C-alpha cells in the first residue's frame, strides 16, 4: 500500500497533498499498519486453523497443542497459559484464567483488527477513487498541455508567416519606393525631353508664324481695313490721343507716374487699414495689460513675502511700465519705441500670470492629492455619510409623502368608508366612556353587595348564635326529655352512624357545588351534638335540593342575563337587586371567588349586551 | 417669380447692356436690341453672316458682332442706328474680338495668334501687338479700365506686358517664371496680377502692377495643378482650384495659404446643410413641400418638377469616375465664384458634377452643398446680393440664398433646357438661355420671393 502511494505522481499539486496526508497518516500509525498486516495474515491463518482445526488438536495431542499455543502466545507477548510451576519436575498446570484472558484479548484484538481492516479498506477505496480522479486530472492536463503546445506551435508558425509576409512587404515597399524614384526620374527626364522638344517645336512654329506674318502683312492685304461711317468721339470727351514718336517719352513718364500713383494709393489704403487694425489691437492690448496689472496687483505682497526675487522685480518693472504708460500716452508715438516696451511688459506680465496660474494649478492638484491622503478624506467621508443620511431622510420623507398622498387619495376616493371608520372610532370612545361609567356603577354595586353580604353574614352569625342558643335550649330540652325516657337511646346511636357515613359520601360527591354541608360539617362536628345530627339527617334529602337551588340560581343568572339584554344599561340595579333577593341564600354560602366570577360573568354579559346593542342601530 | 415669353436665340448669344437698359440677342445673322423692361425690340441690325460673338461696349453705346469664319467684326451704335462700322481682318483671320474698356477700341486677335490688332473708332490709326500667347485667358483688363495685361510668348518664354489702355503704351514688360503660362487675372483693385501655369505644373505667381514678383505659390508637385482661379471682389483672397479637388485660399498680405477646402464625396459635418434635389410627384400637395416653388407648382405643364430636401449628416454625393487616359480629365475644381459681398464662395468639383459647394468665407468652412439631379452646367452669383443661380441643362433654374434654396420650373411649351444664364446687373432679373430660345426671369416683381430670400445683411 505504501508503495503505490509513493509511486503516484508527486507533481500533481492538490491531490499530492492529500496523498501526503494519507501517507503520513498511515505512517503515523504503525500499530494500525501492523495490526492490519497481522489481520491480513491472520485471516487466512485463522481459516487455515479452522480448516485443519480437527487436525491441529485431537484428543491425543491436547498437551502438545496447548504447549504449542503457549509457546506461540508467549512469543507474541501474551502471558503463559500455564501456571507458574513450583518445581521443575512438577507438571505444569493449564491456567484456565490465563487461557480465557488470552482468548478475550485475542478476540478484542481480532475485533480491533477487523475495525482497522474496515478502515483501511474504506481508506483504500477513497484512495483508489482519489487515484482515479488524479489520473483523470492528469490525463486532462496532459491533453491541455498537448493542445496548448499545438496552439503554440501554430501561433509560432503564424508568427513566422507574418514575419515572412512583413519582410516581403518591406521588400515590396522598398521596391515600390525604388520604382517611384525611378518613375520620378523618368518623369523628370521626360519632362526635360518634352520641354526640349516643345522648345524646338515652338521655335519652328515661331519661325513659321514669323514667315506667315511677313507673308500676310507684306501682301498689303487690301481686305484688312476698317470701314467706319464717321469716327466717334472718345467717351471722356477728349480727342483721340495716339502716341507719336516725339511725345512717347513724356507719355511713358506720365503713365509711369499714374501707375505709381495707383500703386501708392493702394499701398496707402492698405497701410491705413493696417494702421486701424493695429490701433485696435493696441487698444485691446492696453486694456488687457491694464486688466492684468489690476488682476496681479493684489497678489503683489505674497510673492514678495516669499522672497521670490524674479517675480518681485518683474512686478516692480511692470509697475514702472504702467506708470510710464499712464504718464504719457506713448501709444500714438511710432511703434519702434513703444513696441518693445509694450511687448516686453506684456510678456513679463504674461509670464507672471502664467506662473501664477501654474501655481494655482499646482495648489489645486496638491489639495487634490492631500484630499486623498488625510484629513480631507475624513471630511469627505463625513460628507458622504452626511449625504447618505440626507438621502435616506429624503427617501423616508418621500415615502411619507407618498403614503400620505395615497391616504389622501384614498380619503378623496373612498371618503364614506373612512368617515364611517372614524365615526366608529368615535363610537368606541363613547362606549368606552359609557363602559367606564358602568364599571364604576358596578363597582358601587359590588360595594353594596359586599356591605349587604357583610350584613348578611352578621345576620347569619347572629342567626347561628341564635340557633345555637336555640339548639342548646332544645338540647337541654331533649336532655330533659331523654332523661325522662331512656328507652330511645339505642335508636339515636344508629342515627349517629348513618349520618357520619352519609356525610363522607356527600363530601366525595360534590365538593364545589355542595359547599354548604361541608361548611356545616365542622360546625356540626364541633357541635358533636346528636340533636344536631338528627336535625342534619332530616336535612339529608335537602342536599339535592341545594343542588337544585344552585341550578335555579344558574337559571336565574341566565334569566337575568336575558333580562339584561332587554333592559337599558342605565338601569342595571333592579335586576341584580332582584337576583340578590333570589340568590340570597346561595350567595351567603358560596365562596367569594365564585361570586366574583359571577360578577365578572355579569359584566361580561353586559359587555356582550353592549356589543349586541352595537349591532342594533 | 415671373417669366417672360420665350424669344428666339442662336449660339447662346444674349447679353444685357452694362447700363442695364438693353438686352442684345442674336438670331442667326440678326442682332436684336430690346428694352429690358418692356422687352420691345428697339433696334434690329442685320450682319453679314451668322454672328458668333457679341459684346457691349462699356458705355453701352456700341455693340460689336464678330463673325470669326469670315474674319469680320461689325459694330453698331444704339444712338445712331444708321452708323455702322465694319472691320475686316482679311487673310489674317480672326479668332477673338473684344472691346477695350474705354469702348472706343476693338482688339482683334488674328488666327494663329499672330498679332492683336487694336482698332480705334475715334481715329483711323491701327496698332498691332505682336506675339500674343494662345492660352485660355491671355488678355486681362483692370476693373477700372486703365491697364491691360497681355500674356506673350517670345523665344519660348512667357512674358507679360502691361499696357496703358488710354494710349496703348507699353507700361511694363516682364518674363514670368512659368513653364507654360495658362492664364492671367487682375485683382479687382487693379494692383496685383495673378499668373498661373499650365495644368502640368502647380504654380501661381503674383505680380505687382509695376512688374515685381510679389509671391509664388506652389501647393504640390508631380501632379496636375491649377484648374481655376478666382479673386474675391475685395481683392483680399485668391481662390485657386486645382486638379486634386481642393480649393486653396491665399491671403493678400503674405500671399500664403489660409485654408484649403476639400471636396470629398461624403459630407460628414452635421453643421453643413445638404440640399438634395428630388423628383417631385405632381400629385403632392403644396403644403407638404419643404421649399415650395410657387411658380413651378402653379405651372401645369411638366411632370418632372423637383424640390429640395435637406439630407441628414453623412451624405454621399454622386461621383464620376474619371477616365484616366484621356486629356482634360473630369477631376478637380473646375469652377469658382465669390459672391459679390465676399461672404461666400461657390465651387464645383468636376468629379462630383451634380453638386455645388458653397463655402462660408468668414468662418472658412463648408456652408451648404446643393446636389442636383443632373450635372451643373453653370452658376452665377447675383451681382447685388448673395444669391446664386444654377442651371443644369434641364428645364429648371435653381436659386440659393442663405435663407434657403428653390427649384423653379421654366414655364412654356416644350422643353426649355437652360444651358446658360446671366444676371441683370440689378439682380432683378436674369436671362435664361437654351439652345434656340431665351427668356427672362424676373425676381423682384414677385414680392413673395423677394421676402423669401435673405437680404445681404441677414446672414452676418
Amino acid at each position: 500500500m505504501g508503495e503505490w502511494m509513493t509511486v503516484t505522481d508527486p507533481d500533481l499539486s492538490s491531490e499530492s497533498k492529500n496523498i501526503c496526508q494519507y501517507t503520513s497518516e498511515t505512517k503515523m500509525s504503525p500499530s494500525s499498519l501492523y495490526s492490519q498486516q497481522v489481520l491480513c495474515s491472520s485471516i487466512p491463518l485463522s481459516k487455515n486453523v479452522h480448516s485443519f482445526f480437527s487436525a491441529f488438536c485431537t484428543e491425543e495431542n491436547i498437551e502438545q497443542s496447548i504447549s504449542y499455543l503457549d509457546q506461540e502466545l508467549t512469543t507474541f507477548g501474551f502471558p503463559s497459559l500455564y501456571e507458574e510451576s513450583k518445581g521443575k519436575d512438577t507438571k505444569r498446570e493449564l491456567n484456565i484464567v490465563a487461557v480465557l484472558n488470552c482468548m478475550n484479548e485475542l478476540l478484542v484484538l481480532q475485533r480491533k483488527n477487523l475495525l482497522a481492516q474496515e478502515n483501511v479498506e474504506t481508506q483504500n477505496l477513497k484512495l483508489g477513487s482519489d487515484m482515479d480522479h488524479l489520473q483523470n486530472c492528469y490525463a486532462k492536463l496532459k491533453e491541455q498541455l498537448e493542445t496548448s503546445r499545438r496552439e503554440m506551435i501554430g501561433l509560432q508558425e503564424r508568427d513566422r508567416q507574418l514575419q515572412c509576409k512583413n519582410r516581403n512587404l518591406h521588400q515590396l515597399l522598398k521596391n515600390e519606393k525604388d520604382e517611384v524614384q525611378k518613375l520620378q526620374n523618368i518623369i523628370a527626364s521626360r519632362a526635360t525631353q518634352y520641354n526640349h522638344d516643345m522648345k524646338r517645336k515652338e521655335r519652328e512654329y515661331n519661325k513659321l508664324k514669323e514667315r506667315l506674318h511677313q507673308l500676310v502683312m507684306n501682301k498689303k492685304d487690301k481686305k484688312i481695313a476698317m470701314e467706319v461711317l464717321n469716327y466717334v468721339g472718345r467717351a471722356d470727351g477728349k480727342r483721340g490721343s495716339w502716341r507719336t514718336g516725339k511725345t512717347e517719352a513724356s507719355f511713358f513718364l506720365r503713365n509711369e507716374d499714374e501707375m505709381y500713383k495707383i500703386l501708392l494709393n493702394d499701398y496707402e489704403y492698405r497701410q491705413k487699414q493696417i494702421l486701424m487694425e493695429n490701433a485696435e489691437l493696441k487698444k485691446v492690448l492696453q486694456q488687457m495689460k491694464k486688466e492684468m496689472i489690476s488682476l496681479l496687483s493684489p497678489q503683489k505682497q505674497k510673492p514678495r513675502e516669499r522672497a521670490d526675487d524674479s517675480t518681485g522685480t518683474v512686478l516692480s518693472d511692470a509697475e514702472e511700465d504702467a506708470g510710464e504708460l499712464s504718464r504719457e500716452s506713448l501709444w500714438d508715438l511710432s511703434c519702434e519705441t513703444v513696441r518693445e516696451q509694450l511687448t516686453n511688459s506684456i510678456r513679463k506680465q504674461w509670464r507672471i500670470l502664467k506662473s501664477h496660474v501654474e501655481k494655482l494649478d499646482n495648489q489645486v492638484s496638491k489639495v487634490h492629492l492631500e484630499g486623498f491622503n488625510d484629513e480631507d478624506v475624513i471630511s469627505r467621508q463625513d460628507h458622504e455619510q452626511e449625504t447618505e443620511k440626507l438621502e435616506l431622510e429624503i427617501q423616508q420623507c418621500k415615502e411619507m409623502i407618498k403614503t400620505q398622498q395615497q391616504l389622501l387619495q384614498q380619503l378623496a376616493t373612498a371618503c364614506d368608508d373612512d368617515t364611517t371608520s372614524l365615526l366608529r372610532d368615535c363610537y368606541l370612545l363613547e362606549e368606552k366612556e359609557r363602559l367606564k361609567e358602568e364599571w364604576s356603577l358596578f363597582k358601587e354595586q359590588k360595594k353594596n353587595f359586599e356591605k349587604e353580604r357583610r350584613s348578611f353574614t352578621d345576620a347569619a352569625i347572629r342567626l347561628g348564635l341564635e340557633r345555637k342558643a336555640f339548639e342548646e335550649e332544645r338540647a337541654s330540652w331533649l336532655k330533659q326529655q331523654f332523661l325522662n325516657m331512656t328507652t330511645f337511646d339505642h335508636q339515636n346511636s344508629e342515627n349517629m352512624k348513618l349520618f357520619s357515613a352519609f356525610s363522607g359520601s356527600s363530601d366525595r360527591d360534590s365538593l364545589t357545588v355542595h359547599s354548604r354541608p361541608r361548611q356545616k360539617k365542622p360546625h356540626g362536628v364541633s357541635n358533636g351534638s346528636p340533636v344536631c345530627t338528627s336535625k342534619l339527617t332530616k336535612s339529608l334529602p335537602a342536599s339535592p335540593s341545594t343542588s337544585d337551588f344552585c341550578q335555579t340560581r344558574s337559571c336565574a343568572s341566565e334569566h337575568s342575563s336575558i333580562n339584561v339584554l332587554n333592559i337599558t344599561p342605565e338601569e342595571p340595579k333592579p335586576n341584580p337587586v332582584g337576583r340578590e333577593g333570589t340568590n340570597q341564600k346561595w350567595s351567603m354560602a358560596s365562596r367569594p371567588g365564585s361570586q366574583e366570577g359571577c360578577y365578572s360573568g355579569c359584566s361580561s354579559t353586559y359587555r356582550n349586551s353592549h356589543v349586541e346593542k352595537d349591532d342594533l342601530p | 417669380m415671373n417669366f417672360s415669353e420665350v424669344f428666339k436665340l442662336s449660339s447662346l448669344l444674349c447679353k444685357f447692356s452694362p447700363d442695364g437698359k438693353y438686352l442684345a440677342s442674336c438670331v442667326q445673322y440678326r442682332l436684336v436690341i430690346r428694352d429690358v423692361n418692356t422687352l420691345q425690340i428697339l433696334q434690329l441690325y442685320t450682319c453679314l453672316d451668322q454672328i458668333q460673338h457679341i459684346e457691349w461696349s462699356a458705355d453701352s453705346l456700341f455693340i460689336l458682332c464678330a463673325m470669326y469664319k469670315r474674319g469680320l467684326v461689325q459694330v453698331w451704335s444704339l444712338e445712331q442706328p444708321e452708323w455702322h462700322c465694319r472691320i475686316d481682318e482679311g487673310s489674317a483671320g480672326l479668332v477673338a474680338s473684344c472691346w477695350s474698356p474705354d469702348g472706343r477700341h476693338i482688339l482683334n486677335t488674328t488666327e494663329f495668334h499672330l498679332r492683336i490688332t487694336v482698332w480705334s473708332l475715334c481715329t483711323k490709326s491701327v496698332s498691332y501687338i505682336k506675339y500674343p500667347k494662345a492660352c485660355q485667358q491671355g488678355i486681362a483688363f483692370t476693373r477700372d479700365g486703365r491697364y491691360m495685361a497681355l500674356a506673350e510668348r517670345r523665344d519660348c518664354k512667357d512674358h507679360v506686358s502691361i499696357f496703358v489702355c488710354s494710349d496703348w503704351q507699353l507700361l511694363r514688360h516682364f518674363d514670368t517664371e512659368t513653364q507654360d503660362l495658362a492664364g492671367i487675372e487682375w485683382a479687382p483693385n487693379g494692383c496685383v496680377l495673378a499668373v498661373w501655369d499650365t495644368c502640368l505644373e502647380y504654380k501661381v505667381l503674383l505680380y505687382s502692377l509695376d512688374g515685381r514678383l510679389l509671391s509664388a505659390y506652389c501647393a504640390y508637385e508631380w501632379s496636375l495643378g491649377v484648374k481655376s482661379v478666382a479673386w474675391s471682389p475685395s481683392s483680399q483672397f485668391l481662390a485657386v482650384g486645382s486638379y486634386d479637388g481642393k480649393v486653396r485660399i491665399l491671403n493678400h498680405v503674405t500671399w500664403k495659404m489660409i485654408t484649403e477646402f476639400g471636396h470629398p464625396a461624403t459630407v460628414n459635418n452635421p453643421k453643413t446643410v445638404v440640399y438634395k434635389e428630388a423628383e417631385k410627384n405632381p400629385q403632392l400637395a403644396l403644403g407638404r413641400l419643404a421649399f415650395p416653388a410657387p411658380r413651378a407648382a402653379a405651372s401645369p405643364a411638366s411632370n418632372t418638377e423637383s424640390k429640395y430636401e435637406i439630407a441628414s449628416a453623412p451624405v454621399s454625393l454622386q461621383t464620376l469616375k474619371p477616365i484616366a487616359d484621356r486629356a482634360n480629365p473630369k477631376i478637380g475644381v473646375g469652377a469658382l465664384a465669390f459672391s459679390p459681398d465676399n461672404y461666400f464662395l461657390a465651387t464645383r468639383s468636376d468629379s462630383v458634377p451634380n453638386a455645388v459647394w458653397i463655402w462660408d468665407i468668414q468662418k472658412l468652412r463648408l456652408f451648404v452643398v446643393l446636389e442636383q439631379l443632373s450635372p451643373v452646367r453653370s452658376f452665377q452669383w447675383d451681382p447685388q446680393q448673395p444669391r446664386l443661380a444654377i442651371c443644369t441643362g434641364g428645364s429648371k433654374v435653381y436659386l440659393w440664398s442663405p435663407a434657403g434654396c428653390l427649384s423653379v420650373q421654366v414655364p412654356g411649351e416644350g422643353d426649355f433646357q437652360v444651358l446658360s444664364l446671366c444676371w441683370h446687373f440689378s439682380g432683378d432679373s436674369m436671362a435664361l438661355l437654351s439652345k434656340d430660345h431665351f427668356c427672362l426671369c424676373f425676381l423682384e416683381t414677385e414680392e413673395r420671393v423677394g421676402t423669401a430670400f435673405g437680404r445681404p445683411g441677414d446672414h452676418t
Side-chain angles (χ1 to χ4, degrees), chain B residues 14-29:
Chain B
C14 175
K15 269 175 186 164
F16 287 105
S17 67
D19 62 3
K21 284 181 187 162
Y22 312 108
L23 178 68
S25 62
C26 292
V27 184
Q28 304 296 330
Y29 48 87

Side-chain angles (χ1 to χ4, degrees), chain B residues 1-5 295 397 408-411 432 439-441:
Chain B
M1 200 180 290
N2 280 325
F3 288 88
S4 74
E5 59 177 301
R295 271 303 126 174
V397 65
V408 184
Q409 177 82 28
V410 178
L432 309 175
C439 71
L440 284 188
C441 170

Side-chain angles (χ1 to χ4, degrees), chain A residues 236-251:
Chain A
D236 49 8
K238 282 184 199 166
R239 281 197 42 194
S241 56
W242 206 243
R243 70 176 171 209
T244 51
K246 281 178 186 173
T247 53
E248 201 167 329
S250 66
F251 268 123

Side-chain angles (χ1 to χ4, degrees), chain A residues 202 217 227 231 233 256, chain B residues 86 104 115 124 153 172:
Chain A
E202 208 175 323
M217 303 312 155
E227 294 171 26
Y231 289 106
E256 284 263 287
Chain B
R86 196 183 77 172
R104 295 294 178 271
R115 65 184 184 193
K124 242 184 175 174
R153 185 80 179 178
R172 278 289 183 275

Side-chain angles (χ1 to χ4, degrees), chain A residues 436-447:
Chain A
K436 264 183 193 170
E437 277 174 35
E438 280 163 335
W439 186 246
S440 57
L441 265 173
F442 268 113
K443 274 199 172 167
E444 266 179 50
Q445 280 174 7
K446 199 180 162 188
K447 267 180 201 169

Side-chain angles (χ1 to χ4, degrees), chain B residues 51-108:
Chain B
I51 302 161
Q52 285 177 285
H53 174 71
I54 57 167
E55 192 175 333
W56 285 95
S57 70
D59 53 8
S60 306
L61 294 175
F62 301 97
I63 184 162
L64 74 76
C65 305
M67 291 139 277
Y68 295 136
K69 275 187 217 160
R70 280 194 165 222
L72 263 180
V73 171
Q74 283 192 295
V75 186
W76 308 101
S77 167
L78 249 66
E79 285 179 329
Q80 302 163 273
E82 70 281 4
W83 186 89
H84 65 89
C85 169
R86 196 183 77 172
I87 301 165
D88 194 342
E89 285 292 337
S91 51
L94 184 67
V95 290
S97 180
C98 68
W99 285 103
S100 81
D102 64 356
R104 295 294 178 271
H105 295 87
I106 291 164
L107 286 81
N108 284 345

Side-chain angles (χ1 to χ4, degrees), chain A residues 140-155:
Chain A
K140 237 185 258 171
L141 285 170
K142 216 172 180 181
E143 233 170 76
Q144 262 181 20
L145 185 74
E146 196 59 36
T147 50
S148 53
R149 205 171 274 161
R150 247 177 278 143
E151 250 172 62
M152 204 174 77
I153 286 164
L155 286 172

